[in-house]
């Protein structure tokens, strides 16, 4: 595909060599993003171990391929790092393969705007709960409506909020006339998800061989 892409771009008179340079630059950045995730995996397992495990497990092989592709197509470094950790855990433990499939599915649909929304809502949620402005609800109980959380939720477009609800990261309700009108806060899974993203970033920062976006 890369060879044909270069050849076809070079044949277009109006575009010419400049487009080929753009293509080459994009390809290098695409490969860098994929290799960053592969590098995280490589810090926990050997190439021989990875090859053996991928050959013996079709599920693991599929989730590995999806994780690398999701990483290559994402500008969110924390996502790329977490994808690597998730796959590495599955390589080391068969019991983690199902979790890796589910987490990779979630991560493949998450980009920087989704994470900013989650962090914004979580920050306000923590403030109102730690101050006693809204008591923490018992597990399974509906949480009280809080105006500050509603206001921060309304800063974000309904399709973005709906994606987070569909992924079980956000607790919100839809009003028929205003879209995602009642945001109550992050789900337990959403809170855990943010912690894992932050943890992956911290692990990447502390790694001697950690790569960084240029």
């Amino acid at each position: 595909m890369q060879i044909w892409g270069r050849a076809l771009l070079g044949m277009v008179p109006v575009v010419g060599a400049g487009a080929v340079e753009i293509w080459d630059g994009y390809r290098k950045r695409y490969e860098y993003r994929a290799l960053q995730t592969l590098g995280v995996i490589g810090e926990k397992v050997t190439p021989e171990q990875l090859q053996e495990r991928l050959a013996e497990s079709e599920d693991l092989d599929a989730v590995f391929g999806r994780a690398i592709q999701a990483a290559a197509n994402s500008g969110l470094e924390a996502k790329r790092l977490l994808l690597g950790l998730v796959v590495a855990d599955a390589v080391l433990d068969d019991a983690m393969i199902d979790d890796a499939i589910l987490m990779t599915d979630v991560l493949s649909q998450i980009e920087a705007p989704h994470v900013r929304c989650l962090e914004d809502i979580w920050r306000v949620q923590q403030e109102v709960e730690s101050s006693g402005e809204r008591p923490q609800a018992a597990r399974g109980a509906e949480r009280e409506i809080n105006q500050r959380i509603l206001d921060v939720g309304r800063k974000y477009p309904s399709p973005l909020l709906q994606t987070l609800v569909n992924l079980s990261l956000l607790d919100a309700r839809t009003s028929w006339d205003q879209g995602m009108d009642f945001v109550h806060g992050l789900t337990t899974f959403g809170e855990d998800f943010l912690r894992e993203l932050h943890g992956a970033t911290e692990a990447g920062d502390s790694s001697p061989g950690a790569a960084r976006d240029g």
Side-chain angles (χ1 to χ4, degrees), residues 30 49 70 76 105 116 129 134 138 141 143 159 166 174 194 197:
Y30 182 94
Q49 186 179 17
L76 183 59
D105 181 58
R116 283 194 290 270
E129 290 178 350
R134 184 183 76 175
R143 290 183 281 193
N166 292 342
T174 304
L194 267 189
L197 270 182

Side-chain angles (χ1 to χ4, degrees), residues 16-83:
V20 174
E21 292 178 4
I22 293 171
W23 172 265
D24 285 343
Y26 169 76
R27 178 180 55 81
K28 289 176 183 177
R29 293 187 295 273
Y30 182 94
E31 291 175 351
Y32 164 79
R33 294 190 293 267
L35 288 171
Q36 186 178 37
T37 296
L38 190 59
V40 173
I41 299 171
E43 291 178 359
K44 301 187 73 174
V45 300
T46 66
E48 295 77 17
Q49 186 179 17
L50 177 60
Q51 178 63 26
E52 180 180 349
R53 292 285 287 119
L54 295 180
E56 67 186 19
S57 172
E58 190 169 347
D59 286 341
L60 181 59
D61 191 48
V63 77
F64 170 80
R66 187 172 186 190
I68 295 298
Q69 185 174 13
N73 286 315
S74 178
L76 183 59
E77 184 179 51
K79 167 179 170 174
R80 302 195 297 266
L81 297 173
L82 184 53
L83 282 165

Side-chain angles (χ1 to χ4, degrees), residues 2 14 21 32 34 62 77 89 97 109 131 161 167 169 195 210:
Q2 294 171 6
V14 179
E21 292 178 4
Y32 164 79
E77 184 179 51
D89 287 342
I97 293 178
Q109 301 177 64
S131 68
L161 296 173
L167 294 173
L169 297 169
R195 291 189 187 98

Side-chain angles (χ1 to χ4, degrees), residues 80-147:
R80 302 195 297 266
L81 297 173
L82 184 53
L83 282 165
L85 293 174
V86 165
V87 172
D89 287 342
V91 170
L92 294 170
D93 186 354
D94 274 341
M96 299 299 293
I97 293 178
D98 284 351
D99 287 343
I101 293 171
L102 295 173
M103 183 61 81
T104 300
D105 181 58
V106 171
L107 284 165
S108 68
Q109 301 177 64
I110 290 294
E111 290 298 337
H114 303 94
V115 175
R116 283 194 290 270
C117 176
L118 289 172
E119 290 178 334
D120 207 2
I121 293 171
W122 195 25
R123 182 180 64 254
V124 176
Q125 178 184 329
Q126 289 177 307
E127 289 174 1
V128 301
E129 290 178 350
S130 63
S131 68
E133 183 179 339
R134 184 183 76 175
Q136 292 191 2
R139 293 184 68 88
E142 186 171 342
R143 290 183 281 193
E144 293 180 5
I145 294 175
N146 179 272
Q147 190 61 49

